[in-house]
Amino acid sequence: MARWKPALLFVLLAANSLGAEPNAKLGEKALLSRAFNPPIWTKKAYDEVWKQWGIDQKPENYHAAFAARYGLHPAPYDNGGYPMGIRETTFLFKSTIATDCLMCHGGSIAGKSYVGLGNASLDIQTLYEEMNAADGRKAQTPFVFSYVRGTNEAGNMSVFLLSYRTPDLVFQRPPRDLRMREFLCEDVPAWWLLKKKKTMYHTGGADARSVRSLMQFMMHPLNRAEDIYKAEKDFRHIQAYLLDLQPPEYPFAIDKKLARDGERLFVKHCAKCHGTYGDQWTYPNRIVPIEVIGTDRTRFDGISKEFGRYYNRSWFAREKKGWYADDYLASETVGYQAPPLDGLWATAPYLHNGSVPTVYHVLNSKARPVVYTRSFRTGVEDYDAEKLGWKFVELKNVDDQKLSPMERRRIYDTRLPGRGNGGHRFGDRLSEQERWAIIEYLKTL
Ligand code: HEC
Ligand code: HEC
């Protein structure tokens, strides 16, 4: 009997490491119940931040008022009443507030919240400034987190955070100069698209199988290198959950006949870049050269070679795990990746910088609004079910200087850096009728 013991032990150990098989259920639990970063603010700051809003009384329905001010959404899971992206935690026996992935990756549309829908309402700049001030700290963020509401500088956050780390992710000072840029104005992609992608991020600059790449936000100064290494097994499960997510179905009526006409036109004009849909779907994973796509190139130029090289020397790129994998390096690409269009109806605004409010305007470049604003609410009444996207108001002659920074961020001015709305003119040659048919088909994806 005794002779079997070591073998049994070996089998048990092997089973234990196989237990790390990515599991979507465990990923969902980890993602929706834990903050992977230490808290940023005290709970008192959350409770008292309304004093920064220029009102004399705390609003009645406080969680909802907080969510509306900063562009957050009700959580469709148990989050203690807080909106998605904000989480109450305990730190050194005190109640504290942390943010999580859902601040940017939890959105809502036609009155319903979804985990994995990019948050197109978020004013992350005002959120951080006012919460910092409510905590009695300097309000200013270390660099601009957002230039225009609904977009953010997530790429710059990675550059900034990595500059304070050695390749093994040990905190270092002074930071390394990784040539941070400005005006990335990034729209947040929907997570349910990840399953089709070989490369991810707007330029396709990272391998979509990389788990470690998803952990860049863990470089909070109070997280030690070991804390980040240790979380990798949870992020394997989180990735499995992201790969399992499905797009929400279009909730309004669809003209089936028109949609069938649209499908034919789509296959003819669009499928070579965006793929085909249905059970036998195909996705070419095409990265279209910047000269061909012609959309704003600030994000394309926005991540420096210095960052790419340093990232590739770091722990993030050394993801050798088992016999099937290789390193997941960041790479320079030629342009922007043509995304899959599943659940497109829900992911307005469009293009990598969110510069175009509706699908109709993607398909008719001459009609795109130059300067506009929208409600930043996400109810049925804020949605344009005909043009497929957000209702908006075009603005003429705005006197920018009279507005507060928060009000200014509500205005999408496509003449400003990073916010250009040109390019992707593939729909311009279509007739109006053909456009409406394609839009009808896109509702079915
Ligand atoms: C500050 C907002 C923000 C936070 C917080 C955030 N993300 Fe993102 N995420 C983005 C933006 C913006 C992009 C697109 C970046 C680009 O390519 O320019 C993105 C891209 C991604 C992608 C690639 C999607 C694709 O199809 O290309 C994944 C996966 C992802 N994030 C996962 C996560 C996870 C997991 C977390 C939490 C650990 C997280 N993100 C936290 C803003 C955020
Ligand atoms: C030559 C390749 C190519 C063709 C052809 C093409 N697209 Fe695109 N499309 C892209 C790329 C690349 C992007 C991303 C551009 C960016 O974000 O700057 C894109 C973006 C989009 C978006 C915005 C997606 C989002 O989530 O923001 C829509 C909608 C879209 N295309 C629809 C269409 C339709 C409909 C057609 C056919 C009439 C079409 N495209 C033809 C390459 C193409």
Side-chain angles (χ1 to χ4, degrees):
M1 242 344 240
R3 268 175 49 207
W4 288 99
K5 271 199 185 142
L8 191 63
L9 191 65
F10 178 78
V11 168
L12 286 176
L13 284 175
N16 195 29
S17 64
L18 284 176
E21 191 71 18
N23 177 316
K25 270 269 163 269
L26 293 179
E28 177 177 24
K29 184 147 178 270
L31 184 75
L32 303 184
S33 68
R34 285 177 51 190
F36 286 88
N37 273 337
I40 314 178
W41 303 296
T42 61
K43 168 133 184 341
K44 188 160 164 280
Y46 184 91
D47 292 336
E48 294 186 356
V49 70
W50 64 271
K51 293 179 184 164
Q52 314 282 321
W53 302 351
I55 52 176
D56 334 308
Q57 250 198 353
K58 187 168 178 170
E60 290 259 328
N61 193 346
Y62 190 60
H63 287 310
F66 184 96
R69 180 155 182 97
Y70 304 117
L72 296 162
H73 310 281
Y77 50 90
D78 179 18
N79 198 35
Y82 291 91
M84 274 193 283
I86 299 286
R87 183 178 293 281
E88 188 177 330
T89 56
T90 315
F91 191 70
L92 304 175
F93 309 108
K94 286 212 175 75
S95 286
T96 49
I97 298 292
T99 59
D100 60 41
C101 313
L102 283 309
M103 173 175 59
C104 300
H105 287 283
S108 119
I109 184 99
K112 201 162 169 225
S113 294
Y114 297 92
V115 170
L117 171 62
N119 185 357
S121 310
L122 182 66
D123 183 351
I124 189 176
Q125 192 66 39
T126 308
L127 171 67
Y128 274 66
E129 286 177 3
E130 292 186 348
M131 286 292 281
N132 289 349
D135 247 344
R137 304 204 307 252
K138 193 178 71 169
Q140 206 188 358
T141 51
F143 59 95
V144 177
F145 286 180
S146 169
Y147 293 91
V148 62
R149 191 161 177 173
T151 74
N152 61 70
E153 302 289 304
N156 276 334
M157 289 179 194
S158 297
V159 176
F160 178 80
L161 293 170
L162 188 63
S163 71
Y164 281 96
R165 299 279 172 162
T166 67
D168 286 320
L169 308 188
V170 176
F171 192 78
Q172 69 179 359
R173 231 179 214 297
R176 192 185 170 93
D177 182 4
L178 295 178
R179 308 287 159 97
M180 194 156 109
R181 312 267 161 84
E182 297 175 295
F183 308 119
L184 305 189
C185 304
E186 295 154 280
D187 180 56
V188 184
W191 273 343
W192 59 76
L193 303 176
L194 194 63
K195 61 169 94 52
K196 286 191 173 179
K197 294 181 172 180
K198 288 200 176 71
T199 50
M200 64 178 174
Y201 302 135
H202 288 305
T203 57
D207 193 308
R209 291 169 303 170
S210 168
V211 169
R212 291 189 179 180
S213 179
L214 311 182
M215 299 176 66
Q216 294 177 69
F217 281 98
M218 281 195 71
M219 288 185 283
H220 182 292
L222 293 179
N223 265 343
R224 297 161 310 159
E226 298 77 57
D227 299 324
I228 304 177
Y229 304 161
K230 241 198 299 179
E232 185 177 352
K233 63 176 187 339
D234 296 311
F235 272 83
R236 291 199 171 273
H237 299 313
I238 289 175
Q239 188 193 48
Y241 173 64
L242 305 190
L243 294 175
D244 210 35
L245 284 171
Q246 298 301 326
E249 263 176 46
Y250 187 70
F252 310 108
I254 296 177
D255 178 338
K256 293 224 173 74
K257 173 165 180 315
L258 189 59
R260 271 196 301 277
D261 294 346
E263 180 170 12
R264 271 193 300 278
L265 291 160
F266 183 87
V267 168
K268 182 160 167 226
H269 297 287
C270 324
K272 70 172 178 191
C273 290
H274 291 291
T276 56
Y277 298 79
D279 294 340
Q280 307 289 317
W281 62 267
T282 57
Y283 176 60
N285 210 90
R286 260 178 77 171
I287 297 168
V288 181
I290 190 74
E291 302 76 26
V292 176
I293 189 70
T295 51
D296 190 292
R297 62 177 293 150
T298 317
R299 165 63 184 87
F300 173 70
D301 295 323
I303 303 293
S304 68
K305 284 192 185 14
E306 286 80 359
F307 172 82
R309 283 197 208 108
Y310 194 57
Y311 179 95
N312 284 346
R313 280 174 52 202
S314 79
W315 179 84
F316 290 111
R318 276 184 254 128
E319 195 174 326
K320 271 206 157 64
K321 273 276 142 99
W323 45 268
Y324 56 85
D326 45 14
D327 281 347
Y328 298 141
L329 300 178
S331 57
E332 238 179 305
T333 69
V334 295
Y336 291 117
Q337 179 161 344
L341 302 178
D342 304 87
L344 182 76
W345 72 273
T347 63
Y350 300 101
L351 300 185
H352 69 274
N353 58 2
S355 57
V356 180
T358 78
V359 173
Y360 173 83
H361 293 93
V362 172
L363 298 183
N364 184 358
S365 76
K366 290 184 197 77
R368 292 176 193 165
V370 179
V371 184
Y372 64 98
T373 187
R374 55 187 167 96
S375 69
F376 294 96
R377 290 187 305 268
T378 56
V380 173
E381 63 284 5
D382 303 290
Y383 187 71
D384 185 336
E386 195 185 333
K387 295 197 167 73
L388 229 52
W390 297 121
K391 287 183 184 161
F392 63 89
V393 180
E394 199 157 3
L395 302 172
K396 301 254 146 71
N397 314 317
V398 259
D399 187 358
D400 246 350
Q401 300 314 313
K402 288 216 189 80
L403 301 174
S404 70
M406 185 185 181
E407 289 166 329
R408 224 177 294 154
R409 276 192 292 274
R410 296 177 66 96
I411 298 175
Y412 204 113
D413 187 338
T414 62
R415 300 164 305 183
L416 294 176
R419 275 151 279 184
N421 67 354
H424 196 291
R425 300 182 54 187
F426 312 111
D428 286 1
R429 285 170 302 231
L430 302 169
S431 69
E432 269 304 88
Q433 213 179 348
E434 289 173 322
R435 274 185 204 120
W436 292 120
I438 290 180
I439 289 170
E440 206 62 18
Y441 170 62
L442 291 171
K443 293 176 181 174
T444 70
L445 304 187

